[in-house]
Amino acid sequence: MTIQRMEHIGIVVNDLAAAVAFFVELGLELEGEMPVEGPMVDRIVGLPGVRSDVAMLRTPDGNSRLELCKYHTPASPAGDASAPANALGIRHILFSVQDLDELLDRLRPHGGELVGEVVRYENSFRICYLRGPEGIIIELAEQLG
């Protein structure tokens, strides 16, 4: 038995509205938002008394989704919003983009900051790491030629 597809990636955030605004500006489409709570959720995530809000976004091609989740209870432990790219755990998500420079200009007012610099990778891509809300790192890649 093998997997059929990857359905979504989940990211826990403190400011759901700011994270949604950032990813919508990036080009994802908001599918919906809803509260999530109850005994079934508690059992799935292994936490008692879960009360959270979830926003589901999808890429323009419809093939990938991003779930942003704000836990109201239980309280989330503090994370390190400035963790470097080599910290353990999921560190970044790559998005293929058009017009990297224009996109960077649009994301800066939403908290987007370059981690390093925009680099030409061989003759294939212009690539950068960008830190967004909550310290989330996204990699942006613009195909050349």
Side-chain angles (χ1 to χ4, degrees):
M1 167 85 55
T2 61
I3 63 171
Q4 296 175 331
R5 68 180 174 276
M6 185 169 66
E7 183 61 33
H8 70 263
I9 294 172
I11 300 176
V12 176
V13 298
N14 192 42
D15 188 339
L16 186 60
V20 167
F22 178 85
F23 283 103
V24 166
E25 188 65 39
L26 177 63
L28 277 71
E29 301 167 17
L30 180 63
E31 288 187 330
E33 297 183 60
M34 63 184 271
V36 177
E37 61 185 308
M40 182 173 41
V41 176
D42 294 358
R43 290 184 8 239
I44 291 169
V45 301
L47 295 169
V50 169
R51 190 173 61 79
S52 62
D53 290 315
V54 171
M56 188 65 75
L57 300 105
R58 80 172 167 276
T59 56
D61 65 4
N63 292 325
S64 301
R65 287 182 174 70
L66 180 67
E67 177 190 77
L68 300 174
C69 182
K70 161 66 177 160
Y71 281 87
H72 299 286
T73 60
S76 299
D80 182 359
S82 61
N86 66 344
L88 295 177
I90 296 174
R91 296 307 320 144
H92 75 275
I93 304 167
L94 185 139
F95 293 98
S96 178
V97 302
Q98 293 179 347
D99 198 345
L100 178 59
D101 296 318
E102 186 267 339
L103 182 58
L104 290 172
D105 288 342
R106 288 192 358 243
L107 291 173
R108 284 186 181 105
H110 293 275
E113 296 180 6
L114 283 173
V115 172
E117 54 189 271
V118 177
V119 174
R120 183 183 180 112
Y121 182 77
E122 298 177 347
N123 289 321
S124 303
F125 295 94
R126 291 180 67 227
I127 298 178
C128 68
Y129 273 19
L130 186 78
R131 192 179 299 275
E134 316 283 339
I136 298 166
I137 297 175
I138 60 173
E139 182 176 2
L140 302 174
E142 176 184 22
Q143 190 165 4
L144 298 173

